[in-house]
Amino acid sequence: MPDRGQGPRGPRTGAGRPSRRVRVLILTLGVLAVLGMAFSMFAGFWTDWLWYRSVHYSSVFTTTLWTKIGLFFVFGLLTAFVVGLNIWLAHRLRPPLSAMSMEQQNLDRYRMGLAPYKTWLLVAISALVGLIAGASAAGQWRTWLMWVNGVPFHQKDPQFHLDISFYAFELPWYRFLLAFGFAAVILCLIAAAFTHYLYGGLRLTSPGARATAAATGHLSVLLGLFVALKAVAYWLDRYGLAVKSSGFKAGDWTGLRYVDANAYLPAKTILFCIAVICALLFFATLWRRTWQLSVIGFGLMVLSAVLIGGLYPAIVQKFQVQPNEQAKEAPYVQKNIAATRKAYGIDDSQVVKYEGKPDTKDDAKLRADADDAASIRIMDPNIVSPTFQQAQQVKDYYGFPANLDVDRYPTKDGKLQDTVIGVRELNLKGKGIKHNWINDHFRYTHGYGVVAAKGTEADDGEPVFTEYNLPPEGDLGGYRPQVYYGEKTTTYSIVGGPQKEIDYSTDDHGEKTTSYTGKSGVNLDNPVNRAAYAVAFNEPQILYSGAIGKGSRILYNRTPKERVEAVAPWLTIDGDAYPAVVDGRIQWIVDAYTTSNGYPYSSRTTLGDTTADSLSTGRDDRSVVAQQNQVNYIRNSVKATVDAYTGEVRLYQWDTQDPVLKTWMKAFPGTVRPKSAISPQLLSHLRYPQDLFKVQRELLTRYHVTDAQTFLTGSEVWQVPADPTNKSGDAVPPYYLSMKMPGQSKQAFSLSTTFTPAGRYSLSAFMSVDSEADSADYGKIRILKLPTSQTVDGPKQVQSQFNSEQDIAAAIKLLKGGDSEVEYGNLLTVPLDGGLLYVEPVYVRGGGLKLPLQRKVLVTYAGKPPAFENTLGEALDKIFGKQGDTTAPPDTGAAAPPASGDPTVRQALVDAQKAFDAGQKALKQPDGPDWAAYAKAQKDLKSALERAEKAEHQATGKKGGNKG
């Protein structure tokens, strides 16, 4: 026999057992690892708490935290209890084991193995499912807060006549409870069934009964609960039809249609009754001890779901709706139109007819009106950033965003003018910075000042700056110039301590240093705080660096959008934060929205898609920060500001009637200031937000129609045109511009866009919204609807005319000479005396610097040949004639050529008119412009005008000679 002396006793000799020192070391390392993980978790929690406390929104942190903890423990413990209870009950109801079958003999090994650990297994399984359920429930904190704090809309849905708050605040919570109930019952059913099988209550192969009476009763109750929950689901589904998506008519259409109201709704009611009866049959198994009736009832419910819930609605759709769809669906479409227009704030849109052709033939009057119609901006904020960079960067550790902003500031004489503005922010990617930890986080900490230029003027192609240089000079007056918080400030800085910061640097003044004196950020005097941030930022130097001392503060979460989103996690944030000098400080203004996905009958929109355009596509910094991407209700309910020096975040109530905002204000009291707290100077810089406007214009492509029959035909569907100035194919961005719409007595700062018919290039409508926050007409949407009986050129056609006109094409080719590039600015559309004036600045990027300089302006009006001149004034003069000049230039778009006494001149002008008409006809072919015919017509037009001019000179010369 083998020697077993070193078997079980072997470890005692120390041959295979670790020494005491090794065991202590392993234990120590294990404890340290646990402590390290615990401190890492603590560091994340602690730094979050410190940050919220530093911005004075600690109530947001605590409310969110306690809500999550409450939901976690309530639903986690409830799930753990019911699952554990059912396992314990199944074990308690186990049958006595006597003569066992082969199946039970095989299971006996597992029972024996689990016997010593039964209690621990019960606790472990219950805890595991409780943790999962609790974590899932904690993610529903928004749903809970909206349910418990919901306020009424004081509007009722047209089908069930319930307040809309039921769908927006209550139904989501009931659906969560229902889903939680289903999950809990299914887990209990699985756990109970497995336990019954393990201990003999259920048998698969053994002779005799397959289930004991106890197991039958237990599982029947659970199945009855499941079917009862299904009955509740059928009942809630009735209301869910009011917010159900159907993809009807090329959109995410919600609300009941004919088949929903006349087939699905009664079907859901019938299925509810059948499910209740079926649940009672399962509960009755406790007394009957047989599943026969309950199984029959369950089969009947499944069959009914197929026939009543699926087949019957399909028959109604096929044989009642499709043969006469418009008549059947019209009443429901009308409800959808009304609800959608109300939910998106477009119900008060003013649609007026607009001819699209001049009301007057007086060019002198048109020339004067053109100056009054709009402050036409030739400085495109999306192009001139490199020019700002070159002229006003000063040092390469400063920078400007790729897209500047448009605002209004008073001139020296007190008049408001459209102004292109940008902040000189810190740019750590500058080549002049020697990168190390001290420079990146202690020395280079902030930008300095704003730069502004007139939107309507250029000086030899360059911006005319109204605020410039370091230290700042210009028209904006004194303000605190340091920019510690900005769109490009994405890293942390440690300020206010022994290490001095670079304030600004110029060739004249040299390098100036400063030390942050604001109260922003988190104090690092506390060693616990330093250790927490060292772990949270994975930077051990924070813990021991001598550059950190008394007064040191760490600044992070520094972009305006992320600060607003953090302090108000229930808001959706507009993609474009813009700067303004307000009350002596640089303030970032951020528009924020409240949204809902539960507005009955309102069509849904995807925010990420509808807010994308040629400027925002592919750029995260211009993208909307959405809490929920699919919405069918939106309001610009909050205006927020972020101080560029202190980082202070202020939320102001803007929409005082919005029930969603009122609900969140109840949930987070004290976080939103009243509208009356907005200062007059701040109010003058608030504007209508771009992302809301883009959502509304996308909806108005279909919902400008208020008649259900017309809506169903689809004959009036519009589209947002692609940006004609580039080849991206993305939507044209809306533009801010001070302009005067028909019916307005003076210019108003507006946001505008154009529409074209679906699949065509001609213009169908022009849309503008009054964007002046201190105006009584703020938010008023005006739509100029052009007649369908005539063709008015749209943006793409106008751009094509610019590109194809021979003289302009030749001039563009010359501008592109050498290594220069030509770039088209924003194509602006301005209503003018019944027609539409198109203006487009042209930029030339020349030389190795490739700076865009505004060199030319393209202008056209009501079919006139486009003008391509050095300045806007010259271009308007060429289109309409010089102001004060009573001799207007010939209008080649007139019905008849100007009179002339000379037959040669008269014939040449007749030929010119024919050539012009031929060119216009070529551009407006049904299948698209015929460019070959257009080019020939332009060539003929040029030749005819040259002959007319030559003949006129000859005739004038002869008359002069005869007189002499």
Side-chain angles (χ1 to χ4, degrees):
M1 295 180 66
D3 182 8
R4 296 190 298 178
Q6 299 301 320
R9 301 174 182 268
R12 294 185 180 182
T13 66
R17 186 177 182 181
S19 66
R20 178 181 179 85
R21 180 179 299 175
V22 172
R23 294 199 306 271
V24 171
L25 178 61
I26 293 174
L27 180 62
T28 302
L29 291 175
V31 171
L32 289 176
V34 172
L35 289 176
M37 288 187 291
F39 188 79
S40 179
M41 296 173 62
F42 166 78
F45 165 81
W46 185 243
T47 53
D48 284 347
W49 160 248
L50 291 174
W51 186 86
Y52 276 96
R53 191 176 65 176
S54 73
V55 294
H56 309 295
Y57 282 89
S58 55
S59 63
V60 174
F61 179 82
T62 54
T63 299
T64 304
L65 177 65
W66 287 116
T67 302
K68 290 179 178 179
I69 290 174
L71 291 172
F72 177 85
F73 278 102
V74 169
F75 286 93
L77 290 175
L78 182 61
T79 305
F81 173 76
V82 296
V83 171
L85 176 64
N86 278 274
I87 294 175
W88 175 84
L89 187 60
H91 178 266
R92 185 176 179 83
L93 296 175
R94 68 190 185 278
L97 297 177
S98 53
M100 294 187 298
S101 65
M102 185 61 68
E103 178 185 21
Q104 291 303 313
Q105 289 178 8
N106 291 332
L107 290 173
D108 189 52
R109 291 180 297 170
Y110 297 102
R111 289 192 289 264
M112 295 292 292
L114 294 177
Y117 311 105
K118 286 190 295 185
T119 302
W120 289 107
L121 277 174
L122 177 63
V123 172
I125 293 172
S126 300
L128 179 61
V129 297
L131 287 172
I132 296 172
S136 176
Q140 297 295 320
W141 64 272
R142 289 185 178 88
T143 308
W144 161 261
L145 287 176
M146 292 181 76
W147 178 69
V148 76
N149 294 288
V151 301
F153 277 67
H154 300 296
Q155 301 170 35
K156 295 185 177 182
D157 78 282
Q159 179 66 40
F160 301 102
H161 308 292
L162 297 173
D163 192 273
I164 289 173
S165 60
F166 171 80
Y167 302 93
F169 306 139
E170 298 179 30
L171 187 59
W173 178 249
Y174 297 151
R175 281 176 163 169
F176 163 71
L177 291 179
L178 185 64
F180 174 80
F182 273 123
V185 170
I186 290 172
L187 287 173
C188 291
L189 193 59
I190 293 172
F194 180 80
T195 306
H196 279 299
Y197 173 71
L198 182 64
Y199 286 95
L202 293 177
R203 303 181 181 92
L204 300 181
T205 60
S206 300
R210 300 297 186 190
T212 63
T216 300
H218 185 191
L219 296 179
S220 295
V221 170
L222 292 176
L223 288 170
L225 288 174
F226 180 87
V227 177
L229 289 173
K230 188 61 180 175
V232 175
Y234 282 134
W235 189 256
L236 289 181
D237 284 347
R238 298 169 68 254
Y239 304 110
L241 292 172
V243 289
K244 176 183 68 72
S245 295
S246 63
F248 184 59
K249 289 298 175 186
D252 198 351
W253 202 87
T254 61
L256 285 82
R257 294 161 56 188
Y258 181 89
V259 70
D260 297 315
N262 295 277
Y264 280 112
L265 186 57
K268 296 292 184 183
T269 305
I270 295 171
L271 289 172
F272 163 77
C273 297
I274 294 174
V276 169
I277 295 171
C278 185
L280 294 175
L281 291 176
F282 272 108
F283 293 141
T285 306
L286 280 171
W287 296 275
R288 294 181 55 83
R289 303 298 184 181
T290 176
W291 279 341
Q292 185 176 6
L293 285 178
S294 55
V295 170
I296 293 173
F298 187 77
L300 176 62
M301 187 181 75
V302 172
L303 182 63
S304 300
V306 174
L307 296 179
I308 303 174
L311 184 59
Y312 174 62
I315 292 173
V316 171
Q317 178 69 23
K318 179 69 174 178
F319 295 102
Q320 292 189 34
V321 178
Q322 290 184 3
N324 192 16
E325 185 177 36
Q326 287 199 212
K328 296 292 186 182
E329 300 288 12
Y332 304 95
V333 171
Q334 198 68 54
K335 296 175 185 178
N336 172 259
I337 292 173
T340 301
R341 289 172 61 88
K342 185 72 174 178
Y344 289 94
I346 58 177
D347 51 325
D348 293 329
S349 301
Q350 183 184 66
V351 181
V352 298
K353 293 182 179 180
Y354 194 73
E355 290 300 319
K357 58 184 180 181
D359 295 330
T360 178
K361 296 294 184 180
D362 186 349
D363 282 344
K365 181 180 184 301
L366 288 171
R367 177 64 183 89
D369 289 347
D371 288 333
D372 189 47
S375 297
I376 299 174
R377 179 170 39 77
I378 59 174
M379 282 289 110
D380 188 340
N382 307 305
I383 291 182
V384 298
S385 178
T387 308
F388 270 52
Q389 188 90 350
Q390 178 64 24
Q392 289 295 318
Q393 179 186 22
V394 183
K395 295 294 182 180
D396 62 0
Y397 50 79
Y398 296 129
F400 294 92
N403 300 96
L404 303 177
D405 289 287
V406 178
D407 203 344
R408 298 136 295 153
Y409 286 91
T411 59
K412 292 180 180 179
D413 59 4
K415 294 182 179 180
L416 288 176
Q417 68 176 2
D418 289 3
T419 302
V420 177
I421 187 171
V423 173
R424 190 186 288 108
E425 293 192 51
L426 178 68
N427 176 25
L428 284 177
K429 296 181 180 179
K431 295 181 181 179
I433 297 178
K434 183 179 179 181
H435 291 286
N436 54 55
W437 190 61
I438 295 295
N439 280 345
D440 290 350
H441 300 288
F442 291 81
R443 293 276 290 165
Y444 298 97
T445 59
H446 59 278
Y448 204 90
V450 301
V451 176
K454 295 181 180 180
T456 57
E457 296 182 27
D459 181 10
D460 195 24
E462 295 190 6
V464 178
F465 292 108
T466 57
E467 187 72 18
Y468 48 89
N469 288 353
L470 286 176
E473 305 174 42
D475 300 340
L476 299 186
Y479 61 92
R480 187 147 209 170
Q482 290 90 352
V483 181
Y484 282 88
Y485 296 88
E487 292 180 295
K488 298 173 70 69
T489 314
T490 56
T491 188
Y492 70 89
S493 290
I494 299 176
V495 298
Q499 180 67 57
K500 291 293 184 180
E501 311 160 42
I502 295 177
D503 201 18
Y504 69 92
S505 177
T506 66
D507 294 334
D508 296 333
H509 297 84
E511 187 177 276
K512 300 292 184 181
T513 60
T514 188
S515 187
Y516 185 70
T517 59
K519 299 301 181 184
S520 181
V522 177
N523 199 315
L524 294 179
D525 287 352
N526 188 328
V528 175
N529 291 358
R530 292 178 66 171
Y533 279 103
V535 172
F537 287 2
N538 194 27
E539 182 48 73
Q541 293 187 79
I542 295 177
L543 185 60
Y544 56 78
S545 174
I548 301 176
K550 186 176 181 180
S552 292
R553 310 181 74 85
I554 186 167
L555 313 181
Y556 62 104
N557 289 350
R558 297 169 71 185
T559 67
K561 287 166 60 177
E562 69 180 338
R563 289 181 78 79
V564 175
E565 195 272 338
V567 303
W570 35 272
L571 289 174
T572 291
I573 312 301
D574 190 271
D576 182 28
Y578 60 97
V581 177
V582 179
D583 299 320
R585 309 187 73 87
I586 301 174
Q587 298 281 356
W588 292 97
I589 300 175
V590 183
D591 283 288
Y593 312 107
T594 48
T595 61
S596 176
N597 198 23
Y599 197 101
Y601 277 95
S602 174
S603 289
R604 289 189 174 90
T605 188
T606 304
L607 291 179
D609 295 338
T610 54
T611 58
D613 57 30
S614 62
L615 297 180
S616 63
T617 301
R619 295 192 51 197
D620 292 337
D621 58 334
R622 298 278 292 194
S623 301
V624 64
V625 182
Q627 300 303 327
Q628 51 182 162
N629 203 25
Q630 278 267 325
V631 303
N632 68 352
Y633 171 92
I634 186 169
R635 288 290 185 273
N636 176 213
S637 54
V638 171
K639 301 285 189 180
T641 62
V642 177
D643 191 288
Y645 183 77
T646 66
E648 180 186 12
V649 182
R650 292 187 176 186
L651 307 176
Y652 297 98
Q653 183 182 17
W654 185 247
D655 189 331
T656 58
Q657 303 301 317
D658 177 30
V660 181
L661 177 60
K662 291 179 180 179
T663 294
W664 287 118
M665 290 174 69
K666 279 184 63 180
F668 296 96
T671 56
V672 181
R673 300 168 186 242
K675 189 175 184 178
S676 58
I678 300 176
S679 69
Q681 191 172 4
L682 173 59
L683 185 66
S684 68
H685 291 284
L686 301 181
R687 67 189 191 188
Y688 201 81
Q690 291 189 65
D691 284 340
L692 175 60
F693 184 79
K694 287 187 277 190
V695 169
Q696 290 174 326
R697 74 171 179 177
E698 181 63 32
L699 269 296
L700 282 167
T701 59
R702 290 171 287 137
Y703 287 95
H704 66 278
V705 174
T706 56
D707 174 66
Q709 295 291 343
T710 307
F711 187 93
L712 284 165
T713 63
S715 60
E716 290 289 329
V717 174
W718 299 339
Q719 66 183 13
V720 178
D723 191 342
T725 64
N726 60 57
K727 298 180 180 179
S728 67
D730 296 312
V732 62
Y735 292 108
Y736 289 104
L737 187 70
S738 290
M739 58 182 295
K740 184 169 67 175
M741 288 285 283
Q744 289 184 300
S745 59
K746 61 179 181 178
Q747 293 182 13
F749 192 63
S750 305
L751 188 57
S752 60
T753 191
T754 53
F755 295 106
T756 59
R760 296 170 60 194
Y761 298 128
S762 58
L763 197 67
S764 57
F766 176 83
M767 171 182 168
S768 178
V769 63
D770 194 319
S771 299
E772 293 183 352
D774 52 1
S775 167
D777 287 337
Y778 172 83
K780 184 173 183 178
I781 297 175
R782 297 178 173 89
I783 299 175
L784 305 181
K785 186 177 183 298
L786 282 84
T788 57
S789 58
Q790 66 183 44
T791 302
V792 177
D793 291 338
K796 194 174 185 66
Q797 290 173 314
V798 170
Q799 189 68 46
S800 297
Q801 290 179 32
F802 287 161
N803 296 341
S804 60
E805 205 282 329
Q806 286 187 330
D807 291 341
I808 296 177
I812 293 291
K813 186 175 182 181
L814 288 174
L815 291 174
K816 290 182 177 179
D819 59 353
S820 296
E821 299 175 4
V822 171
E823 190 168 356
Y824 295 105
N826 35 222
L827 179 59
L828 302 175
T829 309
V830 178
L832 175 62
D833 286 307
L836 291 164
L837 179 70
Y838 284 98
V839 179
E840 183 177 68
V842 178
Y843 295 82
V844 178
R845 293 177 180 258
L849 295 177
K850 298 295 183 185
L851 298 179
L853 299 178
Q854 193 272 312
R855 292 302 191 190
K856 293 285 185 179
V857 179
L858 285 161
V859 175
T860 188
Y861 176 73
K864 291 176 178 285
F868 185 63
E869 302 299 325
N870 294 331
T871 67
L872 174 62
E874 292 174 358
L876 292 173
D877 287 343
K878 185 170 183 180
I879 291 290
F880 301 116
K882 293 183 179 179
Q883 295 192 61
D885 186 358
T886 57
T887 305
D891 182 3
T892 57
S900 175
D902 188 272
T904 306
V905 175
R906 187 162 56 247
Q907 183 58 49
L909 291 177
V910 170
D911 293 342
Q913 180 64 47
K914 290 180 179 178
F916 176 81
D917 292 340
Q920 293 302 301
K921 183 178 180 182
L923 287 174
K924 299 173 181 178
Q925 292 297 309
D927 297 330
D930 184 346
W931 297 118
Y934 180 76
K936 182 179 183 304
Q938 292 298 303
K939 184 177 181 181
D940 293 343
L941 175 61
K942 183 178 180 182
S943 175
L945 290 175
E946 288 175 350
R947 286 190 286 112
E949 184 179 11
K950 183 177 179 181
E952 184 69 28
H953 282 308
Q954 290 175 349
T956 304
K958 290 178 181 179
K959 291 178 181 179
N962 292 336
K963 185 177 180 180

